[in-house]
Amino acid sequence: MARLIAFLILVSLPLPALAGEPVGSRFGEGDGPSFADGVYRLLDQAGTPGQSNAIAEDRSSKGAFESLLFTGKLRVLEGGDGGAILFLSTAEYGVRGPAPFVANWTEPNLRKTFAVGIDVHNPPNREPFGPWGNYQGLPEREISLHWDGRELVKRVAPKEFRGDFAELEIKVDHAIGGAEVTVEIAGAKVYDRYFVAGMAPYEARLAFGAGTRADATTKFDVKDISLGHFTFSIRRRPPVHVEVFHHVMTDNKTTSYDAEVELPPADWAFDRVILTLDIHDGGKMWDEWDRNGRVAIVTESGEVLEIVPFITSYRTPCHWKVDVTHFRPLLAGKTTFRISAGTTFYKNRGYLMSVSLDFHHGRPELEPFAAVPLWHGIAKYRTADNHFKDFFVPKTVTIPAETKAARLFMTTTGHSQIGEFTPSKRTVVFAPVKGGPADAEQRFENVLWKADCYLNPNRPQYGTWKYSRAGWAPGDVVRPWWIDLTPHLVAGKEAELRYEPEPYDLSAYPQKP
């Protein structure tokens, strides 16, 4: 007997473009934007200082889509300030008409709207505590991603695009819990499937904005524009939301808080788990220094396992969304969390913080079933007992027979008079079979160094936030070193992991900027 299932599927095709020419807006000086011969000229030909202009198209397709692809050619010159490509939310800004006012087009932060900023003005500046961060004199060709009123990330484009028209491609692929964004300019990828947490499909229309400074001008022209939409969006179940900490304030007596919460059972299927961490304005009792912080899980045996280490800012509110899906084996049932930040000695000041979790429904292709702690704690360099050397003892890990994949997650933070401003080489050695042949061992090398602190979205700050550091930045969560061990696994055997940091070469690098 054959079982037959049949459905009649009704779909609507994307609507054609609404009638009407692109709408230009002038918010500052100059002649305003223009559109002629297929070219959007956001800034006037005279290079007038103090311009702020926009051009917005009408909605071209009705509805929200799982993917979109923008292609075009961009011409922007050296100078200042820059501009943005915006995918305006029609729910917030209408299906037609002018673009909304934006105070700074290199920071296009609009509600429920995704945008890409193009900034060509970040001049070299060595003032330690000033708002300008480019003390290293790095190229002024910065690309940023923005979602729902916040800048998420900013990077220097790997290839020069200032000058003549350069190819620009922006691709958005929605996924469980957010979207993956790829941006390519002048043939080089700036972002490759960068995950933007919380960005669900929405109906959008295209807009462009650009501005000049009082002390620097540029051009910002766009042509050969195409915006493609692919596959109507699917309805997703809302995530399971769990509040963990709500505006808890640390001080000299209380530098950490614990909270026991009930998380979804381990056998419930979730494709992604997102942790949201906020540092709020703490008012007069807000510690003005950058301190070590952590969001951790306290096990039944009392072991403290950090899952999101962070560094507090120099009195700048911070907001992060961190993918913690890999810790799902620890995030089930009754769970105790600990949040820590602050000191026991400084002016009785601390930090006002909140943490929540969102469990997004779905069945991942591979589900983590174990999170094995390796090295946890504080390793001190050049102490009397040289604990730094002794801390990283080899670790033996049994690889269960059912294992299909494995990744190593490592984060390093810390304040120290030795090493904070010093790059250091480090190596992880993976022996797939403990005691096996030496030629089977895999070596993974890395330099513990973060050179883009000056592009931190939580900027400017009041301290030395801009200076490069040993793997971390004030006002940022600590980004992990991920190592994929999957190609080298031997399931059902004992493996060995060794961490080999090289001694700091203090003669080669200054300890302080």
Side-chain angles (χ1 to χ4, degrees):
M1 180 176 68
R3 184 180 181 185
L4 175 65
I5 301 176
F7 289 92
L8 174 64
I9 308 297
L10 302 177
V11 301
S12 63
L13 296 176
L15 293 180
L18 294 171
E21 294 294 322
V23 179
S25 302
R26 180 170 69 89
F27 302 109
E29 303 298 325
D31 297 332
S34 61
F35 177 68
D37 302 323
V39 179
Y40 292 91
R41 292 184 173 86
L42 274 296
L43 301 172
D44 66 22
Q45 299 301 303
T48 305
Q51 294 184 70
S52 176
N53 302 318
I55 294 177
E57 293 187 344
D58 292 340
R59 182 188 64 192
S60 61
S61 296
K62 184 179 180 180
F65 295 82
E66 287 296 302
S67 299
L68 64 84
L69 176 64
F70 168 87
T71 59
K73 294 179 180 178
L74 171 69
R75 177 170 61 192
V76 58
L77 305 183
E78 294 185 46
D81 209 13
I85 316 296
L86 304 100
F87 303 88
L88 292 176
S89 166
T90 59
E92 298 289 334
Y93 304 106
V95 299
R96 66 195 315 171
F101 170 76
V102 173
N104 184 344
W105 287 107
T106 64
E107 298 178 6
N109 297 320
L110 293 172
R111 278 181 51 81
K112 303 300 181 183
T113 290
F114 172 68
V116 176
I118 297 101
D119 190 346
V120 292
H121 188 79
N122 192 356
N125 185 288
R126 298 193 64 83
E127 183 184 354
F129 304 108
W132 294 102
N134 191 7
Y135 75 99
Q136 302 170 88
L138 297 175
E140 299 171 61
R141 51 172 195 259
E142 300 162 6
I143 309 295
S144 54
L145 304 183
H146 304 252
W147 164 244
D148 195 18
R150 294 181 183 274
E151 180 183 305
L152 305 178
V153 61
K154 195 169 194 177
R155 293 178 180 171
V156 174
K159 190 173 180 180
E160 182 61 75
F161 63 82
R162 296 167 296 176
D164 203 356
F165 277 102
E167 300 282 350
L168 173 63
E169 181 177 296
I170 303 169
K171 188 177 183 182
V172 178
D173 292 311
H174 290 279
I176 300 296
E180 294 176 334
V181 175
T182 299
V183 178
E184 183 173 321
I185 189 167
K189 287 183 178 178
V190 187
Y191 300 96
D192 188 5
R193 303 191 73 83
Y194 183 93
F195 183 68
V196 177
M199 188 166 79
Y202 68 98
E203 185 180 85
R205 62 188 178 104
L206 198 57
F208 309 91
T212 61
R213 301 176 57 82
D215 56 349
T217 63
T218 184
K219 288 184 181 293
F220 198 95
D221 302 334
V222 188
K223 69 176 185 178
D224 299 343
I225 296 164
S226 172
L227 181 61
H229 302 81
F230 308 95
T231 313
F232 284 103
S233 65
I234 58 176
R235 187 182 181 90
R236 293 186 174 91
R237 293 172 64 189
V240 176
H241 181 76
V242 180
E243 290 283 343
V244 183
F245 299 102
H246 185 67
H247 288 76
V248 294
M249 183 78 186
T250 60
D251 56 27
N252 287 14
K253 293 181 179 179
T254 307
T255 59
S256 67
Y257 285 87
D258 286 3
E260 185 179 83
V261 296
E262 190 69 36
L263 301 181
D267 57 354
W268 286 20
F270 295 102
D271 192 84
R272 186 168 268 123
V273 183
I274 302 296
L275 183 146
T276 301
L277 168 63
D278 284 282
I279 298 178
H280 308 285
D281 187 332
K284 293 181 179 180
M285 302 314 295
W286 192 359
D287 190 334
E288 64 266 36
W289 290 96
D290 58 330
R291 311 287 189 187
N292 289 323
R294 63 179 178 176
V295 178
I297 291 172
V298 183
T299 68
E300 291 183 358
S301 64
E303 188 177 13
V304 180
L305 304 177
E306 293 186 30
I307 60 172
V308 181
F310 62 96
I311 306 296
T312 65
S313 65
Y314 292 101
R315 281 197 170 181
T316 299
C318 299
H319 174 87
W320 301 284
K321 288 186 177 291
V322 185
D323 190 336
V324 293
T325 311
H326 43 284
F327 289 121
R328 174 64 173 134
L330 305 175
L331 301 173
K334 189 174 293 185
T335 306
T336 299
F337 286 86
R338 177 171 296 169
I339 189 166
S340 309
T343 70
T344 59
F345 57 83
Y346 187 74
K347 296 183 181 180
N348 202 33
R349 292 178 179 175
Y351 299 91
L352 185 64
M353 299 173 290
S354 296
V355 172
S356 63
L357 288 163
D358 287 289
F359 292 77
H360 294 269
H361 299 275
R363 175 70 69 179
E365 184 178 349
L366 292 171
E367 282 191 88
F369 66 89
V372 182
L374 295 174
W375 301 280
H376 271 258
I378 299 174
K380 298 181 180 180
Y381 190 72
R382 284 189 178 176
T383 55
D385 56 357
N386 199 12
H387 184 50
F388 187 83
K389 181 183 69 175
D390 302 332
F391 183 78
F392 301 106
V393 297
K395 296 289 184 178
T396 299
V397 179
T398 299
I399 309 298
E402 65 269 29
T403 304
K404 301 297 183 184
R407 289 201 300 168
L408 182 64
F409 170 97
M410 296 187 68
T411 59
T412 304
T413 62
H415 289 66
S416 172
Q417 293 301 309
I418 298 176
E420 181 173 339
F421 298 102
T422 306
S424 61
K425 296 179 181 179
R426 53 184 180 162
T427 302
V428 168
V429 181
F430 176 64
V433 178
K434 182 179 180 180
D439 59 2
E441 293 185 349
Q442 304 296 319
R443 299 181 65 86
F444 303 91
E445 296 181 347
N446 175 270
V447 176
L448 182 60
W449 192 238
K450 183 174 175 58
D452 62 351
C453 298
Y454 79 106
L455 297 178
N456 186 347
N458 296 313
R459 66 179 189 277
Q461 300 176 35
Y462 291 100
T464 56
W465 60 276
K466 66 186 70 174
Y467 293 108
S468 301
R469 282 174 167 83
W472 56 272
D476 201 3
V477 293
V478 182
R479 312 297 168 172
W481 179 18
W482 281 107
I483 300 176
D484 187 5
L485 302 176
T486 305
H488 316 293
L489 288 178
V490 179
K493 299 289 185 178
E494 280 191 339
E496 185 178 75
L497 286 153
R498 301 193 299 273
Y499 183 59
E500 300 175 353
E502 293 188 13
Y504 288 114
D505 181 4
L506 300 179
S507 65
Y509 302 97
Q511 293 184 35
K512 295 182 179 180

